[in-house]
Amino acid sequence: MPAEIQPLKDTQNERDDRNIAIDRVGVKALRFPVEVREKEGGSQRTVATTALAVDLPEHFKGTHMSRFVEVLNSHGNCLDVREMKAVPEEMLERLEASKAHVEFEFPFFRTKPAPVTGKGGVLDYTVRFEVEACSNGDSDFICTVMVPVATLCPCSKAISEYGAHNQRGLVTFAVRAKQPIWVEDLIDLVESSASCELYSLLKRPDEKYVTEKAYENPVFVEDLVRNIASKANAQDNIIWYKVEAENFESIHNHNAYAMIEKHV
């Protein structure tokens, strides 16, 4: 017969006398499979790096770390993004918290045809979902996409006789919306605001096209964030956004950066 399990001391539930509450305590860098719906009706399975946290009242010494993992695994071996709100809601109950926060960051893949030859290639983007739930019923959801783009310098084009310097940039675009918003739509909004979008597969006719398109659409890093902000302002569904752009400069040993944050 199995040995009887003796009750063990629960140090986390001991009282702490420093009278300092903790805003977030939990686990980070936990990888977990998730299933993400696609705009065209399908879905893709990917692996998210997750972070789960709750607030901790001043009188508790610690939280129960194992319960975070238990909550996540209770939703099966592949979490559907439609169920993500249920994770922080369950954490509120299991950890006796007033606020719970969950992050899922994962690669999201799209097959993009080359602009001239139409040859398909898979391109990856980074997506982050942040979900927060409160014991009073309030909730919050932020969707962030990290989109690589190409930018061409307007100043370089204006002063140079033989061309202009260009570089890759990375746009981080976070939004709150009234209704669910498709990841693909956010990616498209960002890519349409740059000098040119990126592709994973280009033949010579495609390379000619993207080189000339970028040359015809020069943007500073300031132009890039303003272009995105202008398009976000025009969408009734978006109620808050933060857009950051960083250009990995090709002729400087520093990067160029710009950011706009706005409640619409």
Side-chain angles (χ1 to χ4, degrees):
M1 296 181 63
E4 183 179 352
I5 299 176
Q6 298 296 323
L8 301 175
K9 183 179 180 180
D10 191 350
T11 307
Q12 287 92 335
N13 274 342
E14 292 183 355
R15 184 170 185 84
D16 193 280
D17 296 323
R18 284 166 286 190
N19 295 317
I20 301 174
I22 298 178
D23 295 321
R24 287 185 188 175
V25 57
V27 299
K28 297 183 69 175
L30 175 64
R31 294 203 297 175
F32 197 81
V34 295
E35 185 170 1
V36 184
R37 287 186 298 162
E38 298 172 329
K39 185 178 180 180
E40 297 302 319
S43 64
Q44 62 176 270
R45 290 195 170 192
T46 183
V47 177
T49 300
T50 67
L52 304 94
V54 295
D55 64 329
L56 186 70
E58 60 187 27
H59 54 276
F60 282 128
K61 186 173 184 64
T63 190
H64 294 80
M65 296 293 182
S66 62
R67 295 182 186 177
F68 293 100
V69 183
E70 287 178 339
V71 168
L72 191 58
N73 281 276
S74 70
H75 293 269
N77 60 5
C78 187
L79 179 66
D80 190 312
V81 294
R82 290 169 290 186
E83 301 174 4
M84 285 187 176
K85 185 180 176 182
V87 176
E89 289 177 343
E90 185 176 341
M91 287 162 52
L92 291 175
E93 181 179 351
R94 290 290 305 276
L95 290 123
E96 301 178 26
S98 60
K99 184 179 291 185
H101 183 90
V102 178
E103 294 181 16
F104 299 86
E105 184 170 303
F106 52 89
F108 182 81
F109 297 90
R110 300 182 77 183
T111 299
K112 295 180 62 176
V116 178
T117 64
K119 292 185 176 294
V122 176
L123 196 66
D124 67 291
Y125 305 84
T126 299
V127 178
R128 183 190 305 126
F129 292 159
E130 299 176 67
V131 191
E132 194 164 272
C134 300
S135 57
N136 64 3
D138 292 343
S139 62
D140 188 31
F141 179 80
I142 298 176
C143 178
T144 302
V145 294
M146 301 172 203
V147 183
V149 296
T151 60
L152 185 133
C153 177
C155 180
S156 177
K157 178 179 178 179
I159 64 177
S160 301
E161 296 183 14
Y162 302 113
H165 81 83
N166 55 23
Q167 56 275 316
R168 279 195 296 168
L170 180 66
V171 173
T172 303
F173 185 35
V175 303
R176 289 185 174 97
K178 300 174 186 176
Q179 301 294 329
I181 194 165
W182 291 108
V183 167
E184 293 92 332
D185 289 341
L186 296 179
I187 292 172
D188 290 343
L189 187 153
V190 171
E191 290 184 332
S192 66
S193 302
S195 295
C196 187
E197 59 189 279
L198 300 188
Y199 300 86
S200 64
L201 176 61
L202 294 173
K203 305 298 284 186
R204 279 178 294 176
D206 305 306
E207 187 172 350
K208 178 178 185 297
Y209 172 88
V210 299
T211 302
E212 293 173 347
K213 181 179 179 182
Y215 190 78
E216 293 167 357
N217 295 280
V219 295
F220 289 123
V221 69
E222 298 93 332
D223 296 315
L224 181 54
V225 294
R226 283 172 170 156
N227 288 344
I228 295 168
S230 178
K231 293 175 182 180
N233 290 340
Q235 294 200 16
D236 293 336
N237 190 33
I238 295 177
I239 59 176
W240 169 89
Y241 62 82
K242 180 178 180 181
V243 54
E244 299 175 89
E246 183 175 4
N247 279 350
F248 308 116
E249 293 288 304
S250 59
I251 63 170
H252 303 288
N253 67 344
H254 60 260
N255 295 341
Y257 171 83
M259 185 273 283
I260 296 173
E261 182 175 3
K262 184 177 181 180
H263 290 271
V264 180

